[in-house]
Amino acid sequence: MEYALVTGASRGIGKAVALRLAREGFPVLVNYRSRQADAEEVLRQIEAEGGKAELLPFDLADPKAVEVALAQWEGVHPDDYVSVLVNNAGIRSDSLMIFMNDEQWHSVTDVTLNGFFYVTRRLLKEMLTHRNGRIINISSLSGLKGLPGQANYSAAKAALIGATKALAQEVAARKVTVNAVAPGFIATDMTKDLDEAELKKLIPAGRFGKPEEVASLVAFLASKESAYITGQVISINGGLYT
Ligand code: NAP
């Protein structure tokens, strides 16, 4: 059976993506780091809608934890593989660079960039062997444009775009596509401390996006219909100039 793995699926965009992919018929692996109750609620919702899901907690910034969790899953699922990987987990730790400490720099790049690397490298072989795969990396407007106070986050998200473009060329012949999605401001826990009233004046659509709107784009990129789209960065930002 083909599974979809969504990293950081306990909340926000990842949760919406997990619910949507389950509706599209994928059994979904719900990854998270610490919020077990939230992840269980995602599982419950998927099952209530008649879908199939499993929790797969691990800290994706920790290569050993990634290896242990995925090897364990493979042990229990010898005939299954992950054909859709949504590298969604991410954190912010904003600060002007002059005040940014090492921890802020490393924690953000560890989750967004190194986490993408550990999980994707681990799952690539099965996709290549089956000649079937969809890798969708959640980047950001910040990775395209750069945002002040986010040198760490902008750097990690821009690097993710570079990796998306390189990997897409490595694996295209084996029918594995690799794309990035670059959301603008989406209403989730990550943006709840921002001044929405002020920021939405900058957005032509006049509002923050919804996690479900990002999920719908991800679902298209995960589908068979998107087979000829690879190495792309698709913005979803209400028309915010990038
Ligand atoms: P969110 O609501 O803060 O959720 C973040 C998710 O990532 C949670 O499920 C969290 O798990 C998980 N996570 C964090 N660190 C992890 C780790 N080390 N290992 C495993 N999981 C980890 O964030 P969001 O707004 O939905 O953002 C999702 C993605 O979209 C991120 O990559 C973010 O950078 C990107 N993005 C968001 C926006 C926006 O406006 N919201 C805009 C552009 C891009 P726990 O619940 O267990 O902590």
Side-chain angles (χ1 to χ4, degrees):
M1 202 155 29
E2 292 178 32
Y3 277 72
L5 166 58
V6 185
T7 67
S10 53
R11 296 182 277 143
I13 294 171
K15 173 180 180 175
V17 169
L19 289 165
R20 177 63 192 264
L21 291 180
R23 275 177 217 135
E24 301 295 325
F26 286 100
V28 177
L29 301 177
V30 175
N31 164 259
Y32 61 99
R33 179 180 45 185
S34 54
R35 305 236 188 156
Q36 188 173 337
D38 290 342
E40 278 169 0
E41 176 57 21
V42 176
L43 184 74
R44 200 198 55 71
Q45 278 188 40
I46 290 176
E47 289 176 346
E49 291 180 15
K52 194 168 167 329
E54 291 172 35
L55 299 185
L56 194 64
F58 56 81
D59 177 352
L60 49 73
D62 175 352
K64 285 202 192 91
V66 172
E67 177 55 35
V68 167
L70 293 176
Q72 218 164 39
W73 184 82
E74 282 174 355
V76 182
H77 293 266
D79 300 324
D80 303 327
Y81 73 107
V82 173
S83 66
V84 173
L85 168 60
V86 184
N87 288 302
N88 164 77
I91 56 168
R92 269 176 59 204
S93 185
D94 298 355
S95 166
L96 295 175
M97 191 188 266
I98 195 164
F99 302 120
M100 189 177 287
N101 61 40
D102 291 2
E103 213 280 316
Q104 287 178 296
W105 179 267
H106 290 294
S107 62
V108 169
T109 49
D110 274 355
V111 175
T112 292
L113 184 60
N114 299 344
F116 147 82
F117 171 62
Y118 302 139
V119 178
T120 307
R121 177 183 58 179
R122 185 64 179 68
L123 295 174
L124 259 181
K125 190 171 156 228
E126 288 291 327
M127 292 188 199
L128 296 174
T129 307
H130 287 89
R131 290 183 151 71
N132 175 34
R134 295 279 183 273
I135 298 169
I136 298 134
N137 300 320
I138 308 300
S139 180
S140 171
L141 170 76
S142 190
L144 288 168
K145 179 177 192 275
L147 289 177
Q150 293 199 322
N152 50 357
Y153 185 86
S154 299
K157 293 296 190 184
L160 194 56
I161 289 173
T164 299
K165 292 180 177 179
L167 181 59
Q169 295 172 64
E170 291 180 19
V171 298
R174 294 278 188 130
K175 299 186 171 36
V176 176
T177 67
V178 190
N179 291 291
V181 167
F185 292 101
I186 310 297
T188 68
D189 287 352
M190 188 177 273
T191 49
K192 70 179 179 210
D193 62 325
L194 302 181
D195 187 345
E196 185 168 345
E198 271 310 303
L199 283 168
K200 70 186 187 188
K201 291 181 194 156
L202 306 172
I203 305 169
R207 64 174 176 87
F208 277 18
K210 299 178 196 147
E212 293 74 19
E213 292 172 316
V214 180
S216 159
L217 171 57
V218 172
F220 172 66
L221 291 173
S223 74
K224 303 286 178 216
E225 282 144 286
S226 69
Y228 204 53
I229 302 174
T230 196
Q232 302 305 306
V233 186
I234 303 178
S235 287
I236 174 161
N237 58 25
L240 195 55
Y241 178 69
T242 55

